[in-house]
Amino acid sequence: MFGTLITHFMIKYAFSEYAITRGQLLSITLIIVWFKLFKYCRVLETLGPFCVIVSSLPKDFVKIIMVYVILYIPMVCTFYHFYTGDYAEELINDEDFVPGKYGSFEETCFTVFLYTLVDDYGYDTLVKIGEHRSIYEGFTHCLIAYWVVVSAVLLLNIFIALMSDTFKRVYKQAQVVAQFERAAMIVSIENKLPDYWRKHYLIDISYNYAPACEIYDEDDVPDDDEVKFEKDVIEAHNTLRKITVHLKEKQDRAGDLMEFVREKIKIQNQLISAIIEKVEEIHASRSSMIEESPALPAPGDTTEQEEREPGSDT
């Protein structure tokens, strides 16, 4: 608001001869000032989520606009190179020809942007210019089809999908967003207050709006309230007891499972020890049998012994 007033007085007294310029600048500042209302609408439960969505849209808009500019600039240069320039008089007198579509660089930029909105981009004008400058008609058709598909179909739908995703993500937490924005607004207003007023309001809230602290006396409690209070206490006690029993059962089950695992491990260790002892006994018995058995004679030694036996008898 202050920026609008300052701009108004500066233009009125410093640049009074520029009436049109003053009106244009005031219109721009008026639009900017009205955007300030979103800050105060964020605390409302109905408008708060929508204000958050609108404030988060520039992030998605910056993402898509970077891609759009990369594709938009070469298309503007292409249309400006082939379809902008001095037109013949017979072309200007043609009823289907609109020179304001591609007559200058600014008009070409705006007309190329209209492709994204699927607006009137002067198809007949492009065909007339192509015929007059001997441009292949298929080139014009391909150029138009390419830019319509890329800008109006792909980029525009991607931007709509980004906005839809933001809307779903924020709208699911509408109440939380509204409460959070309300708390942020209260804190910002509190921080802007002078120290004296801030202390005054804190003391006022603590004494007049805080929960009352009174001494509890059983005699002052009515019969109905006392019965209800006892029921609530008994119900809370029973619930706590059930929870305790349930936890104890889980602990007992866990203890039994651990004991079962320990017994299984013990039995496996005993079996392994018995198997090892048995293997050692078998190995020891085999070694003793090999040591006690006599050595077998070689085949040559047997023949020699048989030859010696008759001589010994003689």
Side-chain angles (χ1 to χ4, degrees):
M1 184 64 67
F2 289 108
T4 305
L5 293 175
I6 292 171
T7 306
H8 174 74
F9 284 110
M10 286 180 61
I11 295 174
K12 182 176 181 180
Y13 294 104
F15 307 98
S16 58
E17 64 276 9
Y18 301 106
I20 298 177
T21 304
R22 180 179 64 184
Q24 293 174 353
L25 291 176
L26 285 177
S27 300
I28 294 172
T29 54
L30 182 64
I31 294 171
I32 296 172
V33 167
W34 275 92
F35 272 111
K36 190 70 174 178
L37 289 177
F38 283 113
K39 180 180 179 181
Y40 302 100
C41 293
R42 291 163 74 99
V43 300
L44 303 176
E45 293 184 1
T46 55
L47 298 178
F50 295 98
C51 294
V52 174
I53 293 170
V54 173
S55 62
S56 60
L57 286 181
K59 299 178 182 178
D60 299 334
F61 184 75
V62 170
K63 295 177 184 177
I64 200 68
I65 200 65
M66 294 176 65
V67 180
Y68 184 80
V69 168
I70 294 174
L71 299 173
Y72 174 76
I73 293 176
M75 293 304 300
V76 171
C77 296
T78 303
F79 278 101
Y80 180 77
H81 176 72
F82 286 102
Y83 302 101
T84 304
D86 297 330
Y87 303 121
E89 185 176 356
E90 59 180 7
L91 188 60
I92 296 174
N93 295 329
D94 195 339
E95 295 180 356
D96 297 332
F97 180 74
V98 182
K101 291 292 184 181
Y102 302 92
S104 62
F105 181 76
E106 293 80 6
E107 293 173 350
T108 304
C109 292
F110 183 73
T111 305
V112 173
F113 174 72
L114 292 179
Y115 282 80
T116 306
L117 306 178
V118 197
D119 202 348
D120 183 17
Y121 49 83
Y123 172 76
D124 295 332
T125 302
L126 290 176
V127 173
K128 294 293 181 181
I129 296 173
E131 293 177 354
H132 181 71
R133 296 186 177 180
S134 300
I135 299 175
Y136 180 58
E137 187 176 358
F139 174 77
T140 304
H141 293 164
C142 292
L143 201 62
I144 294 172
Y146 165 77
W147 185 234
V148 168
V149 170
V150 171
S151 63
V153 178
L154 294 180
L155 296 180
L156 190 60
N157 283 282
I158 290 173
F159 182 58
I160 294 172
L162 289 174
M163 290 191 296
S164 301
D165 181 68
T166 304
F167 179 83
K168 291 179 181 178
R169 180 163 34 84
V170 176
Y171 195 75
K172 287 180 181 179
Q173 303 175 353
Q175 300 295 332
V176 178
V177 171
Q179 296 293 335
F180 177 79
E181 294 297 335
R182 185 180 294 114
M185 178 64 69
I186 293 172
V187 172
S188 64
I189 294 174
E190 182 182 351
N191 292 332
K192 293 177 182 179
L193 290 174
D195 294 336
Y196 171 76
W197 286 105
R198 190 184 307 168
K199 293 179 181 179
H200 172 74
Y201 284 121
L202 289 176
I203 294 172
D204 185 46
I205 290 171
S206 62
Y207 278 98
N208 297 326
Y209 302 100
C213 298
E214 298 179 357
I215 299 173
Y216 176 76
D217 190 1
E218 294 183 355
D219 297 334
D220 297 336
V221 179
D223 295 338
D224 296 338
D225 295 339
E226 186 176 359
V227 172
K228 184 178 179 181
F229 179 74
E230 290 179 358
K231 288 182 179 179
D232 293 339
V233 172
I234 294 172
E235 185 178 357
H237 177 71
N238 294 332
T239 304
L240 182 61
R241 187 176 180 181
K242 290 179 181 179
I243 294 172
T244 306
V245 172
H246 184 65
L247 292 175
K248 188 175 180 181
E249 290 178 356
K250 284 189 174 181
Q251 291 178 356
D252 294 339
R253 292 176 184 175
D256 296 340
L257 181 61
M258 293 297 296
E259 187 67 25
F260 177 75
V261 172
R262 290 194 189 97
E263 291 180 359
K264 287 293 183 181
I265 294 174
K266 186 177 180 180
I267 293 171
Q268 289 180 357
N269 291 333
Q270 292 176 357
L271 290 174
I272 292 171
S273 300
I275 291 171
I276 292 172
E277 291 177 359
K278 191 68 176 177
V279 170
E280 289 178 352
E281 289 178 0
I282 295 172
H283 182 69
S285 62
R286 284 187 177 182
S287 299
S288 61
M289 290 176 62
I290 292 171
E291 291 177 357
E292 292 177 359
S293 61
L296 296 174
D301 297 339
T302 304
T303 307
E304 185 179 357
Q305 186 175 5
E306 290 177 356
E307 291 177 353
R308 291 178 181 177
E309 286 180 359
S312 62
D313 296 336
T314 304

